[in-house]
Amino acid sequence: MKRRAYTARMLPDRPTAEPCLHGVPLKSLLRRTERLRKLGAFGLVLVPLLFILVTLVLPISAMLWSSVSDPVLANNLPRLSAQIRLWQGRDQPPYEVVAALVADLIVAERERKVGRVAARLNHEIPGFRTLMLTTADRVSALNRAIGEDQLFDKDRLLARLIALDARWAESRYWVRMRQAAPPYTMIYLLRTIDRTIDLDDEIVMVKEDRRLFVDVFWRTVWICFWVTVYCLTLGYPIAFLLANMSTTKSNICLLFLLLPLWTSILVKSLSWLVALQNEGVVNDLGILSGLWSTPFELARNRVGTYVSMVHMLLPFMTFPLFSVMKGIDGYHMQAAATMGANPWVAFWRVYFPQTLPGVGGGVLLVFILSLGLYVPPALVGGPGDQMLSYFIAWGGAGGGLAASLSIVLLGLVALFLIGFHRVVGVDRTLFR
């Protein structure tokens, strides 16, 4: 009985009050602190996410959109765009299509929009620009002279249009307008592989004299491959020499290696153009030293392209190799020699495998950077040395075609990264 009474006295009569700090429960304070911690972490992540969104996601999305977007006719000739898509593209166009064209041309001439349409259609048929501009001017003048009632006579409208320009009797002009009428198109993407859509809406090869981009694609890969090989051939011994120098000497040599990165690409390209031409420094020194007697063609060809690109990209191969070689212990080679390996075997079996991360990093950087180089091939190279970047930057390619070529270049980089990851491993190269 005494023990039971003692236990009853020890038990509290009511629940213990929740701990508080300045009148606020501790659990609420902990929850609030956790929320603030999560918001702070999200704020730190938000900045790089916004940076990636603005500098990468939005430009690539706009490029993808431009490659399939073709709203020129839909925006500037809306009646024709709606009517001509209902036409099957056979025989002569119906009255509704012709009337829509004439009405839109009158409005476009008044609002000065014909030039945009003419420039777009001229990509389909050379001379279409002149046809659209002259027809719009003559139709507007005829409309002012005889009035809309007579101009839009159902029985004579097409005949009047053919009288203004006999080319309107040819069905190919109408078919090309029908193909350009939708606001979306695959024509730009097809042109990157030298394909087009014929008058029967079939995908066919373009004419032989207009086949260009497939050859440019393989030329780009070929040039970038050899530039990477040359940079690796030159960069590996340079990095090896720097890694085995004293710190003072290697720092001085690294300074000279950095100098090309501090000079404008345009300046370096023009300098090589001057140095490699027939009367340039290289040919003069070769002739004076007796190495050759007549000047070599070193500029405006593939040789000049390789020389200028290797000069600009060599640091990007050397620095990854140097950073890896600097961390290799020199006792490894001594241990291999102690076990009976000659220097050549010791290098290939012991030293070279340890430098593979640097080789992979340098190859990755040089190949990807060389894909986008535009100025050196354009200035020092010849007409047969231009790469995809030249045609992307070339204004005559047009926005849609330039965007499609950019997608091809982006796909080439993606394929290279996938292949590189399967063979070498990006994680073992970049995150070593």
Side-chain angles (χ1 to χ4, degrees):
M1 292 295 293
K2 291 181 179 180
R3 187 176 181 179
R4 191 180 298 117
Y6 176 78
T7 305
R9 286 196 301 270
M10 291 296 294
L11 294 173
D13 297 334
R14 58 186 179 185
T16 305
E18 185 176 354
C20 298
L21 181 64
H22 300 296
V24 181
L26 286 179
K27 289 184 178 179
S28 300
L29 288 174
L30 290 174
R31 286 195 295 267
R32 187 182 305 172
T33 304
E34 185 66 18
R35 285 197 298 269
L36 290 175
R37 187 186 67 81
K38 291 181 179 179
L39 286 175
F42 178 75
L44 292 175
V45 176
L46 185 62
V47 175
L49 284 178
L50 288 175
F51 178 78
I52 293 174
L53 179 66
V54 173
T55 60
L56 184 65
V57 177
L58 291 180
I60 291 178
S61 301
M63 180 181 65
L64 292 172
W65 176 260
S66 299
S67 65
V68 297
S69 178
D70 188 23
V72 177
L73 259 71
N75 292 341
N76 297 288
L77 302 179
R79 299 183 186 88
L80 175 66
S81 179
Q83 289 293 333
I84 202 168
R85 278 185 278 177
L86 304 175
W87 176 48
Q88 299 299 320
R90 299 178 180 86
D91 302 326
Q92 288 186 337
Y95 169 78
E96 291 78 12
V97 173
V98 181
L101 172 64
V102 173
D104 280 342
L105 284 179
I106 293 174
V107 176
E109 174 69 17
R110 183 169 61 248
E111 297 178 357
R112 300 184 181 277
K113 296 181 179 179
V114 184
R116 305 173 196 170
V117 179
R120 166 64 184 87
L121 293 175
N122 201 64
H123 289 296
E124 303 297 332
I125 302 177
F128 216 141
R129 182 177 183 274
T130 305
L131 174 62
M132 293 296 293
L133 292 175
T134 56
T135 302
D137 183 61
R138 293 171 182 176
V139 162
S140 299
L142 188 61
N143 180 53
R144 291 190 295 268
I146 64 176
E148 290 187 1
D149 293 338
Q150 295 188 34
L151 176 62
F152 286 91
D153 186 359
K154 188 172 183 178
D155 298 328
R156 303 179 59 188
L157 181 59
L158 182 58
R160 289 183 185 278
L161 202 61
I162 295 173
L164 294 177
D165 197 307
R167 286 175 287 183
W168 288 115
E170 302 178 31
S171 61
R172 59 179 183 143
Y173 291 96
W174 298 96
V175 172
R176 290 305 185 191
M177 285 193 296
R178 181 177 66 85
Q179 292 173 349
Y184 310 104
T185 182
M186 294 294 294
I187 189 66
Y188 300 125
L189 292 173
L190 290 174
R191 284 180 182 174
T192 61
I193 55 175
D194 292 336
R195 302 293 193 276
T196 189
I197 301 176
D198 64 4
L199 298 178
D200 297 324
D201 294 332
E202 298 289 338
I203 297 176
V204 297
M205 289 283 293
V206 299
K207 296 179 179 179
E208 189 172 356
D209 58 343
R210 301 187 65 182
R211 296 174 189 174
L212 173 65
F213 295 114
V214 172
D215 292 339
V216 170
F217 173 82
W218 292 115
R219 182 195 308 159
T220 301
V221 175
W222 184 253
I223 291 176
C224 294
F225 168 77
W226 280 110
V227 167
T228 305
V229 171
Y230 293 145
C231 285
L232 180 60
T233 304
L234 294 174
Y236 199 97
I238 293 174
F240 180 82
L241 181 64
L242 293 174
N244 291 278
M245 280 182 176
S246 63
T247 304
T248 304
K249 293 180 179 179
S250 65
N251 288 339
I252 297 174
C253 294
L254 285 173
L255 183 64
F256 285 102
L257 191 62
L258 281 170
L259 284 178
L261 300 179
W262 299 344
T263 310
S264 169
I265 293 179
L266 181 62
V267 173
K268 288 184 286 189
S269 300
L270 289 174
S271 300
W272 277 115
L273 180 61
V274 172
L276 295 175
Q277 60 186 350
N278 291 350
E279 297 80 15
V281 177
V282 176
N283 272 308
D284 288 346
L285 289 177
I287 294 174
L288 289 175
S289 61
L291 295 177
W292 56 84
S293 57
T294 57
F296 281 109
E297 293 288 340
L298 301 176
R300 299 296 186 184
N301 54 24
R302 191 64 57 86
V303 175
T305 302
Y306 286 145
V307 170
S308 58
M309 291 180 67
V310 168
H311 174 239
M312 295 174 191
L313 297 175
L314 185 59
F316 296 99
M317 178 66 74
T318 307
F319 284 120
L321 288 168
F322 171 74
S323 64
V324 173
M325 291 177 180
K326 198 67 176 176
I328 298 176
D329 196 337
Y331 288 109
H332 294 173
M333 295 287 287
Q334 296 178 13
T338 302
M339 299 181 68
N342 60 54
W344 185 254
V345 173
F347 174 80
W348 280 110
R349 298 289 297 274
V350 177
Y351 190 84
F352 182 76
Q354 297 183 73
T355 63
L356 285 179
V359 173
V363 167
L364 187 68
L365 285 173
V366 170
F367 187 84
I368 292 178
L369 290 174
S370 62
L371 286 173
L373 276 185
Y374 159 65
V375 177
L379 290 181
V380 192
D385 303 312
Q386 306 308 316
M387 303 193 300
L388 277 174
S389 55
Y390 172 82
F391 295 93
I392 293 172
W394 178 45
L401 184 56
S404 299
L405 292 173
S406 301
I407 291 176
V408 173
L409 193 60
L410 184 64
L412 182 59
V413 172
L415 288 175
F416 174 74
L417 285 175
I418 293 172
F420 183 85
H421 180 66
R422 288 183 177 274
V423 175
V424 179
V426 176
D427 53 344
R428 293 194 297 271
T429 300
L430 300 181
F431 305 105
R432 177 179 169 83

